[in-house]
Amino acid sequence: KGFTAVLAFMAQERGLLDFDDSVTKYLGTGWTLADEAAEKKVTIRHLLTMTTGLDAKLEFDAKPGTKWVYNTPAYQHLIRVIAAAAKMDYVELTHKWLTQPLGMSDTAWIERSNFPKMNKVTMLGLATTARDLGKLGLLVLVSGSWEQFDIVRNPNSMWQMIQPSQDLNPAYGHLWYANGQSRYIQPPDTEIKDGPLWPAAPEDTVAALGHLGRSLFVCPSLGLVVVRLGYATKMALEGDPS
Protein backbone atom coordinates (compact mmCIF):
# COMPACT_ATOMS: atom_id res chain seq x y z
CA LYS A 1 0.00 0.00 0.00
CA GLY A 2 2.83 2.37 0.82
CA PHE A 3 4.37 1.64 -2.57
CA THR A 4 1.10 2.43 -4.36
CA ALA A 5 0.75 5.65 -2.37
CA VAL A 6 4.08 6.90 -3.75
CA LEU A 7 2.84 6.21 -7.29
CA ALA A 8 -0.41 8.04 -6.54
CA PHE A 9 1.41 11.16 -5.36
CA MET A 10 3.68 11.00 -8.40
CA ALA A 11 0.60 10.92 -10.63
CA GLN A 12 -0.86 13.90 -8.78
CA GLU A 13 2.37 15.85 -9.28
CA ARG A 14 2.26 15.13 -13.00
CA GLY A 15 -1.24 16.56 -13.23
CA LEU A 16 -2.76 13.18 -14.07
CA LEU A 17 -4.85 12.78 -10.94
CA ASP A 18 -6.93 14.98 -8.68
CA PHE A 19 -7.45 13.12 -5.42
CA ASP A 20 -10.95 14.56 -5.17
CA ASP A 21 -11.97 13.01 -8.50
CA SER A 22 -14.43 10.15 -8.44
CA VAL A 23 -12.85 6.72 -8.94
CA THR A 24 -15.58 6.13 -11.52
CA LYS A 25 -13.98 8.80 -13.74
CA TYR A 26 -11.06 6.43 -14.33
CA LEU A 27 -12.60 2.97 -13.96
CA GLY A 28 -16.13 3.52 -15.23
CA THR A 29 -19.24 2.34 -13.45
CA GLY A 30 -19.57 -1.05 -11.85
CA TRP A 31 -16.23 -1.27 -10.05
CA THR A 32 -18.16 -1.75 -6.79
CA LEU A 33 -21.38 -3.53 -5.87
CA ALA A 34 -22.91 -0.28 -4.63
CA ASP A 35 -25.51 1.52 -6.70
CA GLU A 36 -24.22 3.95 -9.30
CA ALA A 37 -25.02 7.11 -7.34
CA ALA A 38 -23.22 5.88 -4.22
CA GLU A 39 -20.30 4.55 -6.25
CA LYS A 40 -19.68 7.93 -7.89
CA LYS A 41 -19.20 9.54 -4.48
CA VAL A 42 -16.11 7.44 -3.74
CA THR A 43 -13.01 9.48 -4.57
CA ILE A 44 -9.35 8.66 -5.00
CA ARG A 45 -8.73 10.33 -1.65
CA HIS A 46 -11.14 7.89 -0.02
CA LEU A 47 -9.11 4.99 -1.44
CA LEU A 48 -5.89 6.53 -0.12
CA THR A 49 -7.30 7.07 3.37
CA MET A 50 -9.39 3.89 3.81
CA THR A 51 -12.61 5.88 4.09
CA THR A 52 -14.55 4.62 1.05
CA GLY A 53 -17.64 3.62 3.01
CA LEU A 54 -17.52 0.23 1.28
CA ASP A 55 -17.37 -3.13 3.02
CA ALA A 56 -15.02 -5.99 2.14
CA LYS A 57 -17.44 -7.15 -0.58
CA LEU A 58 -17.40 -3.64 -2.12
CA GLU A 59 -21.01 -3.08 -1.10
CA PHE A 60 -22.25 0.23 0.32
CA ASP A 61 -21.84 0.44 4.10
CA ALA A 62 -21.54 4.12 4.99
CA LYS A 63 -21.25 7.54 3.40
CA PRO A 64 -17.68 7.96 2.07
CA GLY A 65 -15.49 9.86 4.49
CA THR A 66 -17.52 8.96 7.59
CA LYS A 67 -16.01 5.60 8.56
CA TRP A 68 -12.42 4.30 8.66
CA VAL A 69 -12.13 0.64 7.63
CA TYR A 70 -8.96 -1.14 6.54
CA ASN A 71 -10.25 -2.38 3.20
CA THR A 72 -7.82 -4.19 0.92
CA PRO A 73 -10.38 -5.05 -1.81
CA ALA A 74 -11.28 -1.36 -2.16
CA TYR A 75 -7.71 -0.09 -2.05
CA GLN A 76 -6.73 -2.59 -4.77
CA HIS A 77 -8.39 -0.41 -7.38
CA LEU A 78 -5.98 2.45 -6.79
CA ILE A 79 -3.13 1.03 -8.90
CA ARG A 80 -5.60 0.60 -11.77
CA VAL A 81 -6.78 4.18 -11.35
CA ILE A 82 -3.20 5.43 -11.58
CA ALA A 83 -2.51 3.30 -14.65
CA ALA A 84 -5.70 4.50 -16.35
CA ALA A 85 -4.83 8.14 -15.63
CA ALA A 86 -1.32 7.67 -17.04
CA LYS A 87 -2.62 5.65 -20.00
CA MET A 88 -0.11 2.88 -19.26
CA ASP A 89 -0.23 -0.71 -18.10
CA TYR A 90 0.39 -0.77 -14.33
CA VAL A 91 3.44 -3.02 -14.79
CA GLU A 92 4.98 -0.62 -17.31
CA LEU A 93 4.12 2.40 -15.17
CA THR A 94 5.63 0.89 -12.03
CA HIS A 95 8.84 0.02 -13.87
CA LYS A 96 9.21 3.38 -15.59
CA TRP A 97 8.28 5.61 -12.67
CA LEU A 98 9.69 3.81 -9.67
CA THR A 99 11.41 0.44 -9.78
CA GLN A 100 13.82 1.23 -12.65
CA PRO A 101 15.01 4.62 -11.30
CA LEU A 102 15.37 3.19 -7.79
CA GLY A 103 17.14 0.06 -9.00
CA MET A 104 14.47 -2.18 -7.46
CA SER A 105 15.37 -5.13 -9.67
CA ASP A 106 13.62 -7.78 -7.55
CA THR A 107 10.18 -6.19 -7.25
CA ALA A 108 7.07 -7.07 -9.27
CA TRP A 109 3.28 -7.17 -9.10
CA ILE A 110 1.84 -10.69 -8.91
CA GLU A 111 -1.60 -12.15 -8.30
CA ARG A 112 -2.59 -12.78 -4.68
CA SER A 113 -3.57 -16.42 -4.43
CA ASN A 114 -4.94 -16.01 -0.90
CA PHE A 115 -7.64 -13.58 -2.06
CA PRO A 116 -10.51 -14.48 -4.39
CA LYS A 117 -11.37 -12.17 -7.26
CA MET A 118 -13.46 -9.24 -6.09
CA ASN A 119 -16.14 -8.17 -8.57
CA LYS A 120 -14.16 -9.98 -11.33
CA VAL A 121 -10.94 -8.09 -10.46
CA THR A 122 -7.83 -10.10 -9.64
CA MET A 123 -6.18 -9.05 -6.40
CA LEU A 124 -2.53 -8.01 -6.64
CA GLY A 125 0.42 -8.24 -4.28
CA LEU A 126 3.89 -6.74 -4.44
CA ALA A 127 6.67 -9.32 -4.37
CA THR A 128 9.92 -7.73 -3.26
CA THR A 129 13.09 -8.16 -1.22
CA ALA A 130 14.40 -6.46 1.91
CA ARG A 131 16.99 -4.54 -0.12
CA ASP A 132 14.43 -3.30 -2.65
CA LEU A 133 11.92 -2.36 0.03
CA GLY A 134 14.66 -0.49 1.87
CA LYS A 135 15.19 1.64 -1.23
CA LEU A 136 11.56 2.73 -1.09
CA GLY A 137 12.08 3.69 2.55
CA LEU A 138 15.17 5.69 1.64
CA LEU A 139 13.17 7.50 -1.05
CA VAL A 140 10.66 8.61 1.60
CA LEU A 141 13.48 9.51 3.98
CA VAL A 142 15.09 11.86 1.42
CA SER A 143 11.72 13.31 0.28
CA GLY A 144 11.77 11.87 -3.22
CA SER A 145 15.21 12.79 -4.58
CA TRP A 146 17.33 9.86 -5.77
CA GLU A 147 20.79 10.23 -7.33
CA GLN A 148 20.27 11.98 -10.69
CA PHE A 149 16.50 11.38 -10.60
CA ASP A 150 13.91 13.63 -9.00
CA ILE A 151 11.48 10.77 -8.68
CA VAL A 152 9.13 12.86 -6.59
CA ARG A 153 9.39 16.40 -7.92
CA ASN A 154 8.04 18.28 -4.92
CA PRO A 155 9.48 17.26 -1.52
CA ASN A 156 6.21 18.33 0.10
CA SER A 157 4.48 15.43 -1.64
CA MET A 158 6.28 12.88 0.53
CA TRP A 159 5.55 14.97 3.61
CA GLN A 160 1.84 15.16 2.77
CA MET A 161 1.68 11.43 2.08
CA ILE A 162 2.73 10.49 5.61
CA GLN A 163 0.72 13.10 7.51
CA PRO A 164 -2.57 12.21 9.26
CA SER A 165 -5.22 12.32 6.55
CA GLN A 166 -8.48 12.38 8.54
CA ASP A 167 -9.80 12.43 12.12
CA LEU A 168 -11.39 8.97 12.13
CA ASN A 169 -7.97 7.35 12.54
CA PRO A 170 -5.42 10.12 13.21
CA ALA A 171 -2.54 7.65 12.96
CA TYR A 172 -3.28 6.95 9.29
CA GLY A 173 -1.95 9.08 6.47
CA HIS A 174 -2.27 8.06 2.84
CA LEU A 175 -1.77 4.28 3.00
CA TRP A 176 1.04 4.94 5.55
CA TYR A 177 0.79 4.85 9.35
CA ALA A 178 2.01 7.83 11.37
CA ASN A 179 3.26 7.68 14.95
CA GLY A 180 2.98 10.47 17.52
CA GLN A 181 -0.79 10.96 17.31
CA SER A 182 -3.18 11.05 20.26
CA ARG A 183 -5.37 8.18 18.99
CA TYR A 184 -5.06 5.26 16.60
CA ILE A 185 -6.73 2.24 15.04
CA GLN A 186 -4.45 -0.60 14.01
CA PRO A 187 -5.98 -3.61 12.24
CA PRO A 188 -7.16 -6.21 12.95
CA ASP A 189 -8.60 -4.08 15.77
CA THR A 190 -11.48 -1.84 14.75
CA GLU A 191 -11.83 0.29 17.89
CA ILE A 192 -9.93 3.51 18.33
CA LYS A 193 -7.42 3.61 21.20
CA ASP A 194 -5.76 6.45 23.04
CA GLY A 195 -2.07 7.21 22.76
CA PRO A 196 0.56 6.98 20.04
CA LEU A 197 0.74 3.93 17.82
CA TRP A 198 4.29 2.99 18.90
CA PRO A 199 5.04 4.66 22.27
CA ALA A 200 8.67 3.51 22.32
CA ALA A 201 9.45 4.88 18.85
CA PRO A 202 10.26 8.50 17.93
CA GLU A 203 7.16 10.55 17.21
CA ASP A 204 8.09 11.09 13.56
CA THR A 205 8.22 7.36 12.76
CA VAL A 206 6.03 6.34 9.81
CA ALA A 207 5.42 2.91 8.33
CA ALA A 208 4.06 0.97 5.41
CA LEU A 209 2.61 -2.24 6.84
CA GLY A 210 1.61 -5.26 4.77
CA HIS A 211 0.31 -8.80 4.96
CA LEU A 212 2.01 -11.37 7.23
CA GLY A 213 3.88 -8.74 9.20
CA ARG A 214 5.76 -7.20 6.28
CA SER A 215 6.88 -3.80 7.47
CA LEU A 216 8.79 -0.75 6.31
CA PHE A 217 9.57 1.82 9.02
CA VAL A 218 11.07 5.25 8.32
CA CYS A 219 12.33 7.48 11.13
CA PRO A 220 13.58 10.84 9.79
CA SER A 221 14.88 12.13 13.15
CA LEU A 222 17.26 9.14 13.36
CA GLY A 223 17.93 8.88 9.61
CA LEU A 224 16.75 5.29 9.93
CA VAL A 225 14.98 2.83 7.63
CA VAL A 226 13.96 -0.58 9.02
CA VAL A 227 12.61 -3.45 6.89
CA ARG A 228 10.96 -6.67 8.00
CA LEU A 229 9.77 -9.20 5.44
CA GLY A 230 7.23 -10.89 7.73
CA TYR A 231 6.36 -14.04 9.57
CA ALA A 232 7.80 -17.44 8.60
CA THR A 233 4.37 -19.00 8.28
CA LYS A 234 3.56 -22.10 6.27
CA MET A 235 1.96 -19.82 3.67
CA ALA A 236 5.06 -17.65 3.40
CA LEU A 237 7.42 -20.58 3.26
CA GLU A 238 5.46 -22.05 0.37
CA GLY A 239 6.01 -18.90 -1.61
CA ASP A 240 2.78 -16.95 -1.16
CA PRO A 241 3.82 -13.39 -2.07
CA SER A 242 0.95 -11.41 -0.58
Side-chain angles (χ1 to χ4, degrees):
K1 295 176 179 65
F3 186 90
T4 305
V6 173
L7 290 172
F9 275 82
M10 291 175 72
Q12 182 191 53
E13 281 191 338
R14 287 156 171 75
L16 301 174
L17 282 182
D18 183 329
F19 289 169
D20 293 320
D21 280 345
S22 170
V23 175
T24 300
K25 175 180 177 180
Y26 300 92
L27 299 186
T29 59
W31 67 274
T32 74
L33 296 180
D35 65 55
E36 187 173 331
E39 183 179 87
K40 284 184 177 179
K41 293 180 181 179
V42 181
T43 67
I44 296 165
R45 192 179 305 278
H46 293 137
L47 292 180
L48 281 163
T49 59
M50 295 290 182
T51 58
T52 62
L54 301 170
D55 64 16
K57 295 181 180 180
L58 301 184
E59 295 176 340
F60 177 82
D61 180 53
K63 181 181 177 180
T66 64
K67 186 175 182 179
W68 191 90
V69 175
Y70 190 80
N71 191 333
T72 295
Y75 135 82
Q76 281 274 325
H77 288 80
L78 183 57
I79 186 61
R80 296 178 174 86
V81 167
I82 300 166
K87 295 180 173 57
M88 282 193 283
D89 175 82
Y90 63 83
V91 174
E92 176 191 3
L93 178 145
T94 299
H95 177 73
K96 183 176 180 180
W97 284 15
L98 207 50
T99 57
Q100 183 181 44
L102 285 177
M104 296 176 71
S105 57
D106 295 309
T107 298
W109 293 107
I110 55 179
E111 295 184 6
R112 293 185 68 164
S113 60
N114 65 317
F115 269 97
K117 286 187 177 183
M118 296 297 298
N119 199 20
K120 299 181 181 179
V121 173
T122 300
M123 303 285 276
L124 299 174
L126 192 72
T128 190
T129 63
R131 185 177 295 274
D132 272 13
L133 195 55
K135 290 177 180 178
L136 181 70
L138 287 172
L139 180 73
V140 175
L141 184 68
V142 299
S143 300
S145 181
W146 189 269
E147 297 181 346
Q148 74 270 30
F149 302 102
D150 285 326
I151 294 176
V152 179
R153 297 168 182 173
N154 183 349
N156 285 333
S157 291
M158 291 292 89
W159 183 86
Q160 292 170 2
M161 182 181 72
I162 58 180
Q163 297 307 301
S165 58
Q166 30 64 50
D167 293 330
L168 300 167
N169 182 5
Y172 204 70
H174 300 82
L175 302 180
W176 285 73
Y177 288 89
N179 199 32
Q181 309 307 312
S182 60
R183 297 174 298 139
Y184 69 92
I185 303 172
Q186 186 176 18
D189 294 336
T190 57
E191 298 298 322
I192 197 160
K193 297 180 180 180
D194 291 329
L197 190 52
W198 306 295
E203 289 189 357
D204 64 344
T205 302
V206 297
L209 305 179
H211 189 53
L212 296 175
R214 297 185 179 188
S215 309
L216 171 61
F217 292 92
V218 179
C219 180
S221 61
L222 297 180
L224 191 64
V225 172
V226 179
V227 176
R228 172 181 172 141
L229 286 187
Y231 306 122
T233 63
K234 181 175 183 292
M235 183 181 295
L237 290 172
E238 290 178 349
D240 185 276
S242 53

